[in-house]
């Protein structure tokens, strides 16, 4: 991920949950570089547009909503279509993270590090967003 942008890639750039330019470009059938450039510009515009109190971080949901709005305009796409694509990608990513966490919990149970009840509790905490990997 470049800087503190919401997008990123897997591998060298990292990815911590925002909009991934490559995945979005694939989902929309567009060029990755075009989407990446438009996404970076949309993120900058969104940050400027979302009001924050001095010293406070902007509300993530408000920033992401503004990013989608600016991105749809920049790519000349229907905002609902773009929002749907982003939501589908985010759901897939949550599913992947949840599966990875469950795999680790299952391994911990198999090795005797956790009981099944402890693993179930940890999985529920992740699902509720109390621990990393679950819904926002």
């Amino acid at each position: 991920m470049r800087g503190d942008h919401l997008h990123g890639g897997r591998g060298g750039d990292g990815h911590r949950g925002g909009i991934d330019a490559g995945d979005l470009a694939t989902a929309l059938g567009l060029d990755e570089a075009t989407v990446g450039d438009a996404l970076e510009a949309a993120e900058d515009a969104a940050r400027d547009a979302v009001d924050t109190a001095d010293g406070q971080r902007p509300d993530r949901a408000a920033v992401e909503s503004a990013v989608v709005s600016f991105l749809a305009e920049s790519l000349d796409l229907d905002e609902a279509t773009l929002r749907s694509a982003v939501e589908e990608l985010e759901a897939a990513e949550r599913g992947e993270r949840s599966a990875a966490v469950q795999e680790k919990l299952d391994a911990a149970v198999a090795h005797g590090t956790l009981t099944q009840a402890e693993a179930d509790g940890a999985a529920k905490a992740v699902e509720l967003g109390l621990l990393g990997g679950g819904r926002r």
Side-chain angles (χ1 to χ4, degrees):
M1 187 172 224
R2 291 181 236 144
D4 62 350
H5 294 292
L6 297 172
H7 75 284
R10 290 180 177 83
D13 286 347
H15 185 69
R16 54 178 186 144
I19 300 170
D20 181 88
D23 290 345
L24 185 59
T26 299
L28 297 170
L30 299 173
D31 175 69
E32 183 175 350
T34 299
V35 172
D37 291 346
L39 183 55
E40 191 167 340
E43 290 168 346
D44 291 341
R47 279 194 199 85
D48 291 343
V50 174
D51 290 329
T52 59
D54 287 334
Q56 297 294 315
R57 296 187 75 162
D59 177 68
R60 182 177 178 169
V63 171
E64 285 192 8
S65 180
V67 166
V68 170
S69 294
F70 285 115
L71 186 57
E73 183 178 335
S74 176
L75 294 174
D76 196 28
L77 294 171
D78 175 67
E79 188 173 333
T81 300
L82 182 61
R83 190 169 307 281
S84 177
V86 168
E87 288 172 359
E88 286 177 21
L89 291 171
E90 289 174 344
E93 186 174 308
R94 279 191 305 275
E96 289 172 10
R97 283 193 312 261
S98 180
V101 167
Q102 190 60 53
E103 187 176 309
K104 289 178 183 178
L105 291 172
D106 291 344
V109 170
H111 293 313
T113 307
L114 293 176
T115 65
Q116 186 62 55
E118 291 168 332
D120 291 345
K124 185 65 173 181
V126 168
E127 177 188 331
L128 294 173
L130 301 173
L131 297 174
R135 67 179 174 205
R136 292 187 246 183

